Amino acid sequence: MNRDDEKRRAGRAALAYVEDGMIVGVGTGSTVAHFIDALATRKARIEGAVSSSEQSTRQLEAHGIAVLDLNAVGDIPLYVDGADECDPQRRLIKGGGAALTREKIIAEAAARFVCIIDAGKRVEVLGRFPLPVEVIPMARSLVARALVKLGGQPVWRDGVVTDNGNWVLDVHGLRISDPLGLERAINQIPGVVTVGLFARRRADVVLIGDQVMGGDP
Ligand code: 5RP
């Protein structure tokens, strides 16, 4: 099976976690795009979606799915999103699509986080995929120097502006043996908005294609 087939299967399999009347948190990316297409077949049975990006909002609205403001809905039962890497403890690297901040906010608000990936995203140790860090533009260089001290090689994702008006540094060369510790350390650098490590709030369930890793439907 090729990677796109696996992504499509994972997107469809995530529908098993959607219940009638739910408000569904929706991530960003090509795997999530398959989930949104699948969710559209249930649109009359859900209350709406909370979206993590302008890109996902456009797709949701094109399907006629109501996009709701997280401030108005409070905590939500379910968040479905992709990832760039996933370790055996279901800790993730995210942010390849530059939507990491809103993704982390919605994951935090969600009772259950279902992560949908293809098998190529599985790793034993996080860090092969460059770790995205969203930064306030004026702090780019300061944060980059701090990331070098933490052992990484940050590269500015030149030309990319996040939905929040910020910039992204991609940190190469990390072998992340302590994801929780590194998440905390990077979060403490002034000027960092979000690091794309999802260790403190990791996935509850990972769907690799339609294979389940952790949790019960
Ligand atoms: C966006 C993300 C995506 O979930 C991640 O990049 C995976 O994308 P795709 O499903 O296209 O492989 O974190 O910020």
Side-chain angles (χ1 to χ4, degrees):
M1 199 189 311
N2 69 36
R3 289 185 78 162
D4 196 55
D5 283 339
E6 280 188 339
K7 289 180 182 202
R8 187 176 296 106
R9 279 181 187 238
R12 285 187 189 152
L15 263 192
Y17 297 83
V18 176
E19 293 171 13
D20 288 356
M22 264 188 175
I23 294 173
V24 181
V26 174
T28 297
S30 57
T31 318
V32 166
H34 292 303
F35 172 66
I36 295 173
D37 287 342
L39 190 63
T41 65
R42 297 265 188 92
K43 67 180 177 189
R45 288 162 53 183
I46 61 168
E47 196 173 325
V50 173
S51 171
S52 63
S53 64
E54 303 301 327
Q55 179 190 320
S56 291
T57 296
R58 280 193 295 275
Q59 193 186 348
L60 288 159
E61 289 181 340
H63 278 302
I65 298 172
V67 176
L68 308 172
D69 176 3
L70 184 64
N71 289 309
V73 303
D75 287 342
I76 58 174
L78 177 67
Y79 179 52
V80 178
D81 197 0
D84 300 298
E85 272 187 1
C86 174
D87 79 3
Q89 285 78 44
R90 305 188 304 278
R91 299 172 298 195
L92 312 169
I93 286 182
K94 292 186 42 54
L100 60 165
T101 297
R102 297 186 188 189
E103 292 173 341
K104 202 174 262 198
I105 292 167
I106 304 176
E108 184 72 19
R112 181 185 255 173
F113 176 6
V114 175
C115 183
I116 50 178
I117 57 171
D118 59 271
K121 307 281 183 64
R122 292 182 74 171
V123 294
E124 281 304 309
V125 179
L126 297 172
R128 193 176 59 201
F129 189 91
L131 177 64
V133 181
E134 180 168 351
V135 297
I136 301 285
M138 74 167 283
R140 188 198 81 218
S141 172
L142 177 128
V143 172
R145 291 195 299 280
L147 291 168
V148 168
K149 284 186 191 145
L150 290 173
Q153 295 137 31
V155 175
W156 180 20
R157 206 183 293 179
D158 201 0
V160 171
V161 178
T162 70
D163 287 346
N164 312 306
N166 297 316
W167 292 348
V168 177
L169 294 169
D170 293 308
V171 190
H172 297 249
L174 293 171
R175 191 173 186 281
I176 306 174
S177 53
D178 176 12
L180 194 55
L182 189 64
E183 183 177 5
R184 284 201 186 111
I186 294 178
N187 274 334
Q188 281 173 10
I189 304 168
V192 167
V193 178
T194 309
V195 55
L197 263 175
F198 285 57
R200 195 184 64 79
R201 205 304 173 227
R202 61 190 179 135
D204 300 304
V205 179
V206 177
L207 301 176
I208 306 156
D210 42 22
Q211 304 297 305
V212 182
M213 175 172 137
D216 297 313

